[in-house]
Amino acid sequence: MDSLKQSLLMKGFCRECKPYEPPSDYEQSIKQIAEQVLNRLLPQNWLDTPIKDYVNKFQLLVRCEKVFNHELPNSELHRIETLRDVCEYYSTPVRGINSYDALNRNQQNLPENLHVIPEPISFDPNYFGGLDAYPNSPIIETGLRAKKKYPDLKVGVVWPDV
């Protein structure tokens, strides 16, 4: 799991997800689901039981998803090889907010020289009396949040009279 966290940090992964708090009996629930799906009693070291059959793996993960109300993303499927991997995934709590939003919520604990701006800011030439920071260039918002808040500013090119 630490390598996964490091990988996400390196990629700048900032997608919000649904918060999840694992129940106290998650291991017992996973064991029961596995016994039902595999149609057999599991041995004493049941956590090391491999999940080789893709149909069983699919059925096991779908039932776990329903029981725990916590989805397993496609990017994690290849990591699930044993029941221990399933238990590890469903035992990990999820905060539900990305790092940027966490910084924004805790602004009072940030150093004085660090400020988080939660909303996008766009240049408005009307605010500066028609002066333009980007002469003869349209201002096109590319972020999903900013596109909803700010319209694109199309600027007609004015050629000098030579």
Side-chain angles (χ1 to χ4, degrees):
M1 276 308 214
D2 288 329
S3 65
L4 174 63
K5 289 178 188 175
Q6 247 342 312
S7 168
L8 293 177
L9 285 173
M10 297 303 288
K11 293 178 185 173
F13 192 77
C14 287
R15 190 174 70 194
E16 289 188 21
C17 53
K18 193 169 88 173
Y20 169 73
E21 190 64 38
S24 58
D25 64 338
Y26 70 91
E27 276 191 2
Q28 188 61 32
S29 299
I30 291 172
K31 184 177 180 183
Q32 288 175 354
I33 293 168
E35 287 176 343
Q36 291 170 0
V37 169
L38 301 175
N39 289 326
R40 63 183 165 110
L41 290 174
L42 295 174
Q44 189 71 16
N45 60 344
W46 65 274
L47 287 173
D48 296 325
T49 304
I51 311 169
K52 294 181 181 176
D53 182 32
Y54 293 121
V55 174
N56 287 341
K57 183 177 182 178
F58 174 76
Q59 291 174 347
L60 174 76
L61 295 176
V62 166
R63 286 193 189 177
C64 286
E65 184 178 317
K66 288 179 183 175
V67 168
F68 297 110
N69 194 23
H70 182 49
E71 294 178 358
L72 179 75
N74 288 342
S75 59
E76 291 293 311
L77 286 175
H78 73 282
R79 298 183 196 281
I80 306 295
E81 295 177 353
T82 65
L83 291 177
R84 181 179 310 281
D85 298 330
V86 176
C87 285
E88 186 176 313
Y89 179 78
Y90 283 103
S91 67
T92 307
V94 177
R95 284 188 313 177
I97 62 171
N98 60 42
S99 301
Y100 187 78
D101 288 339
L103 280 174
N104 185 35
R105 290 181 185 176
N106 294 322
Q107 283 200 30
Q108 66 274 7
N109 297 332
L110 297 177
E112 289 182 23
N113 64 342
L114 179 62
H115 299 278
V116 178
I117 302 172
E119 292 296 320
I121 297 175
S122 179
F123 176 78
D124 184 3
N126 297 327
Y127 182 77
F128 295 100
L131 294 176
D132 194 353
Y134 311 102
N136 300 328
S137 298
I139 299 174
I140 300 172
E141 298 296 344
T142 56
L144 294 177
R145 285 185 187 172
K147 271 193 172 298
K148 292 178 184 175
K149 189 171 182 179
Y150 302 108
D152 291 342
L153 297 174
K154 308 282 185 194
V155 179
V157 177
V158 179
W159 293 97
D161 193 17
V162 181

